[in-house]
Amino acid sequence: MISIAWLFVKSAFSRIIPFLLEHWRIILIGLMCFYAYSQKVAHERAVQELATYKQQIAESVAKQAHENEIKRIKAESAIKSTQLEHDKQIEVIKNEYSKINKLSNLTIADLRNKLRQSISDTFDLPKVDTDTERTPVEWSDSYRAITAQYEILKQACTISTSDYNALRGWADAACLQVGCE
């Protein structure tokens, strides 16, 4: 069996080698043409893959831009609603303060300044004697002062809380839009 295969290979090479030696120029040109053709096909395939890749990138960019626009619109809506809610809360606080203190033409800035000054100027707790020798009038005045200071502090804290909640709403909207870590 091996000898038959050996004879076949020997006879094939005995015919191929003289053919190659005789027509080597034509074979070389054929091989060069085949190599050029294969390079051309590979180049066309690479160009097609590049065009497909660029198209995928363009589609991805368009999709991301659309998603970003949706996120931006949602964030603007959330910020506007938070701002409207904050404005309503501050207006309610201002109106309550105006009614209590019987003031008119009070702006939010004026209210903030009044509360800030009230807290910084006279915000000491009254001295409470440990003995009970004070008169009911003295106790009443002391209680009234503490109650007034408490109301001022409560109104200032209400405004600060409303401001904080508005800022937190803005931060949450920003996190939805760009992400937070």
Side-chain angles (χ1 to χ4, degrees), residues 103-173:
L103 297 171
S104 60
N105 299 332
L106 182 69
T107 65
I108 300 299
D110 293 339
L111 174 61
R112 289 176 196 242
N113 287 333
K114 280 182 179 285
L115 291 173
R116 191 177 301 116
Q117 285 180 340
S118 297
I119 289 173
S120 64
D121 290 346
T122 59
F123 214 73
D124 294 340
L125 287 177
K127 299 289 183 195
V128 177
D129 296 329
T130 56
D131 59 358
T132 57
E133 295 179 7
R134 292 174 49 178
T135 65
V137 174
E138 291 173 338
W139 280 103
S140 174
D141 289 343
S142 174
Y143 179 75
R144 207 174 301 119
I146 290 172
T147 305
Q149 287 178 346
Y150 172 75
E151 286 300 318
I152 290 170
L153 184 61
K154 186 172 90 171
Q155 290 167 343
C157 288
T158 305
I159 290 175
S160 295
T161 302
S162 180
D163 291 345
Y164 172 80
N165 289 339
L167 290 173
R168 180 60 196 216
W170 177 86
D172 290 343

Side-chain angles (χ1 to χ4, degrees), residues 12-27:
F13 276 114
S14 67
R15 290 183 190 159
I16 291 175
I17 292 178
F19 179 78
L20 291 175
L21 291 175
E22 187 176 328
H23 302 289
W24 69 272
R25 291 183 186 112
I26 296 171
I27 294 171

Side-chain angles (χ1 to χ4, degrees), residues 27-129:
I27 294 171
L28 184 62
I29 290 173
L31 288 174
M32 288 172 36
C33 289
F34 176 74
Y35 178 74
Y37 177 75
S38 66
Q39 289 299 313
K40 178 185 172 215
V41 169
H43 176 69
E44 288 173 353
R45 188 178 312 127
V47 167
Q48 181 62 33
E49 289 175 4
L50 179 64
T52 304
Y53 181 69
K54 285 181 178 181
Q55 182 181 7
Q56 289 173 349
I57 288 175
E59 290 171 359
S60 175
V61 166
K63 180 181 176 185
Q64 187 65 42
H66 181 69
E67 289 175 4
N68 288 346
E69 184 64 21
I70 290 171
K71 287 179 182 179
R72 185 188 64 75
I73 290 169
K74 284 182 181 179
E76 283 180 358
S77 174
I79 289 171
K80 284 179 184 177
S81 67
T82 301
Q83 185 64 38
L84 288 173
E85 182 180 329
H86 178 256
D87 291 343
K88 287 177 185 177
Q89 290 173 351
I90 293 294
E91 193 64 32
V92 167
I93 294 167
K94 181 187 79 135
N95 290 339
E96 287 177 10
Y97 186 84
S98 296
K99 285 179 187 176
I100 292 171
N101 295 313
K102 297 176 184 161
L103 297 171
S104 60
N105 299 332
L106 182 69
T107 65
I108 300 299
D110 293 339
L111 174 61
R112 289 176 196 242
N113 287 333
K114 280 182 179 285
L115 291 173
R116 191 177 301 116
Q117 285 180 340
S118 297
I119 289 173
S120 64
D121 290 346
T122 59
F123 214 73
D124 294 340
L125 287 177
K127 299 289 183 195
V128 177
D129 296 329

